Amino acid sequence: MTERVLDHVGIAVHSLEEAVSLYSPLVEADAEGRETVESQGVEVVFVGAGTGRMELLAPLRQDSAIARFLERRGPGLHHICYRVPDVEAALAEAVARGYRAIDERPRPGAHGARVAFLHPRTTGGVLIELLQPPADNSG
Ligand code: CO
Protein backbone atom coordinates (compact mmCIF):
# COMPACT_ATOMS: atom_id res chain seq x y z
CA MET A 1 0.00 0.00 0.00
CA THR A 2 1.14 3.53 -0.68
CA GLU A 3 0.78 6.12 2.04
CA ARG A 4 -1.66 8.89 1.39
CA VAL A 5 -0.87 12.42 2.44
CA LEU A 6 -3.58 14.62 3.89
CA ASP A 7 -4.12 17.34 1.29
CA HIS A 8 -6.71 19.50 3.03
CA VAL A 9 -9.60 19.61 5.45
CA GLY A 10 -12.87 20.94 4.04
CA ILE A 11 -15.00 23.20 6.23
CA ALA A 12 -18.50 24.30 5.26
CA VAL A 13 -19.14 27.98 5.95
CA HIS A 14 -21.86 30.52 5.23
CA SER A 15 -19.48 33.32 4.30
CA LEU A 16 -15.91 33.05 3.03
CA GLU A 17 -15.03 36.51 4.36
CA GLU A 18 -16.21 35.74 7.88
CA ALA A 19 -14.59 32.31 7.85
CA VAL A 20 -11.25 33.70 6.65
CA SER A 21 -11.21 36.29 9.43
CA LEU A 22 -11.98 33.52 11.91
CA TYR A 23 -9.49 30.86 10.78
CA SER A 24 -6.64 32.84 9.28
CA PRO A 25 -5.34 34.22 12.64
CA LEU A 26 -5.93 30.83 14.26
CA VAL A 27 -3.64 28.92 11.91
CA GLU A 28 -1.44 31.97 11.20
CA ALA A 29 -1.79 31.64 7.46
CA ASP A 30 -3.22 33.84 4.76
CA ALA A 31 -6.11 32.92 2.52
CA GLU A 32 -5.22 32.10 -1.04
CA GLY A 33 -6.54 30.53 -4.19
CA ARG A 34 -10.12 31.76 -4.04
CA GLU A 35 -12.06 30.05 -6.79
CA THR A 36 -15.59 29.39 -7.93
CA VAL A 37 -16.37 25.78 -8.80
CA GLU A 38 -19.51 26.41 -10.80
CA SER A 39 -20.32 22.73 -11.40
CA GLN A 40 -20.52 22.16 -7.63
CA GLY A 41 -22.28 25.42 -6.84
CA VAL A 42 -19.52 26.31 -4.43
CA GLU A 43 -16.94 28.99 -3.83
CA VAL A 44 -13.73 27.91 -2.12
CA VAL A 45 -10.67 29.53 -0.61
CA PHE A 46 -7.69 27.84 0.98
CA VAL A 47 -6.17 29.00 4.25
CA GLY A 48 -2.50 28.07 4.27
CA ALA A 49 -0.50 26.52 1.49
CA GLY A 50 0.95 23.27 2.83
CA THR A 51 -0.59 19.87 3.27
CA GLY A 52 -3.34 19.82 5.82
CA ARG A 53 -4.48 23.30 4.88
CA MET A 54 -8.08 24.34 5.26
CA GLU A 55 -10.48 24.51 2.35
CA LEU A 56 -13.37 26.81 3.21
CA LEU A 57 -16.50 26.08 1.17
CA ALA A 58 -19.43 28.46 0.82
CA PRO A 59 -22.53 27.83 -1.30
CA LEU A 60 -23.20 29.79 -4.49
CA ARG A 61 -26.72 28.42 -4.80
CA GLN A 62 -29.37 27.08 -2.47
CA ASP A 63 -29.58 23.78 -4.37
CA SER A 64 -25.89 22.97 -3.95
CA ALA A 65 -24.65 20.13 -1.78
CA ILE A 66 -22.90 22.61 0.53
CA ALA A 67 -26.11 24.62 1.00
CA ARG A 68 -27.95 21.43 1.96
CA PHE A 69 -25.15 20.45 4.33
CA LEU A 70 -25.30 23.88 6.03
CA GLU A 71 -29.06 23.60 6.36
CA ARG A 72 -28.88 20.18 8.00
CA ARG A 73 -25.76 20.48 10.13
CA GLY A 74 -24.68 24.10 10.20
CA PRO A 75 -21.10 25.26 9.57
CA GLY A 76 -18.24 22.92 10.43
CA LEU A 77 -16.11 20.01 9.33
CA HIS A 78 -17.30 18.80 5.92
CA HIS A 79 -14.66 16.44 4.53
CA ILE A 80 -11.04 15.39 4.68
CA CYS A 81 -9.03 15.01 1.52
CA TYR A 82 -6.19 12.65 0.69
CA ARG A 83 -3.81 13.20 -2.18
CA VAL A 84 -3.42 10.31 -4.61
CA PRO A 85 -1.23 9.94 -7.69
CA ASP A 86 -4.06 8.53 -9.83
CA VAL A 87 -7.61 9.32 -8.73
CA GLU A 88 -9.22 6.96 -11.24
CA ALA A 89 -7.22 4.02 -9.89
CA ALA A 90 -7.73 5.11 -6.27
CA LEU A 91 -11.49 5.33 -6.77
CA ALA A 92 -11.70 1.93 -8.47
CA GLU A 93 -9.57 0.42 -5.70
CA ALA A 94 -11.77 1.93 -2.99
CA VAL A 95 -14.94 0.59 -4.64
CA ALA A 96 -13.33 -2.85 -5.01
CA ARG A 97 -12.62 -2.76 -1.27
CA GLY A 98 -16.27 -2.12 -0.51
CA TYR A 99 -16.39 1.65 -0.02
CA ARG A 100 -19.22 3.39 -1.76
CA ALA A 101 -18.39 6.13 -4.23
CA ILE A 102 -20.43 9.31 -4.50
CA ASP A 103 -18.82 9.96 -7.86
CA GLU A 104 -18.83 7.15 -10.37
CA ARG A 105 -15.90 8.84 -12.04
CA PRO A 106 -13.55 11.63 -10.98
CA ARG A 107 -14.62 15.21 -11.65
CA PRO A 108 -12.92 18.59 -11.78
CA GLY A 109 -12.12 20.12 -8.39
CA ALA A 110 -10.59 23.48 -7.49
CA HIS A 111 -7.26 24.51 -9.05
CA GLY A 112 -7.29 21.99 -11.87
CA ALA A 113 -7.27 18.98 -9.56
CA ARG A 114 -9.35 15.89 -10.27
CA VAL A 115 -11.36 14.65 -7.32
CA ALA A 116 -13.77 11.92 -6.23
CA PHE A 117 -15.73 11.53 -3.01
CA LEU A 118 -16.52 8.42 -0.97
CA HIS A 119 -19.83 8.17 0.84
CA PRO A 120 -19.64 8.78 4.60
CA ARG A 121 -22.01 5.85 5.18
CA THR A 122 -19.17 3.50 4.26
CA THR A 123 -16.32 5.53 5.79
CA GLY A 124 -17.40 5.81 9.40
CA GLY A 125 -19.37 9.00 8.95
CA VAL A 126 -16.51 10.99 7.43
CA LEU A 127 -16.83 12.29 3.88
CA ILE A 128 -13.55 11.41 2.16
CA GLU A 129 -12.22 13.20 -0.91
CA LEU A 130 -9.51 11.69 -3.10
CA LEU A 131 -7.55 14.28 -5.03
CA GLN A 132 -5.12 14.00 -7.90
CA PRO A 133 -3.16 17.25 -8.22
CA PRO A 134 -2.74 18.77 -11.67
CA ALA A 135 0.29 17.46 -13.55
CA ASP A 136 2.24 20.74 -13.13
CA ASN A 137 1.67 20.88 -9.37
CA SER A 138 4.92 20.10 -7.59
CA GLY A 139 3.13 19.78 -4.37
CO1 CO B 1 -11.89 19.41 -0.75
Side-chain angles (χ1 to χ4, degrees):
M1 267 195 222
T2 54
E3 282 182 35
R4 288 182 176 163
V5 176
L6 180 68
D7 187 272
H8 64 265
V9 174
I11 299 176
V13 305
H14 288 292
S15 150
L16 289 188
E17 285 73 18
E18 283 174 26
V20 165
S21 51
L22 176 67
Y23 290 119
S24 188
L26 201 62
V27 299
E28 297 189 328
D30 289 328
E32 55 179 57
R34 187 165 176 158
E35 183 177 327
T36 294
V37 185
E38 193 59 51
S39 61
Q40 299 305 310
V42 71
E43 193 174 16
V44 310
V45 70
F46 288 89
V47 176
T51 58
R53 64 199 185 275
M54 284 183 175
E55 178 187 44
L56 307 175
L57 307 115
L60 286 174
R61 301 186 295 268
Q62 279 318 299
D63 65 345
S64 61
I66 284 292
R68 289 195 299 272
F69 179 93
L70 285 166
E71 244 167 59
R72 283 200 313 271
R73 320 235 325 234
L77 184 61
H78 180 261
H79 67 267
I80 65 174
C81 175
Y82 287 96
R83 197 179 287 182
V84 298
D86 179 343
V87 69
E88 218 126 52
L91 183 62
E93 209 174 83
V95 169
R97 288 178 180 147
Y99 302 101
R100 196 170 119 205
I102 289 178
D103 303 290
E104 261 177 57
R105 52 191 56 216
R107 53 183 160 92
H111 302 152
R114 296 177 69 226
V115 305
F117 285 87
L118 301 178
H119 200 287
R121 194 164 296 159
T122 57
T123 54
V126 180
L127 178 60
I128 305 278
E129 178 181 16
L130 303 171
L131 176 147
Q132 178 181 342
D136 62 344
N137 187 330
S138 51

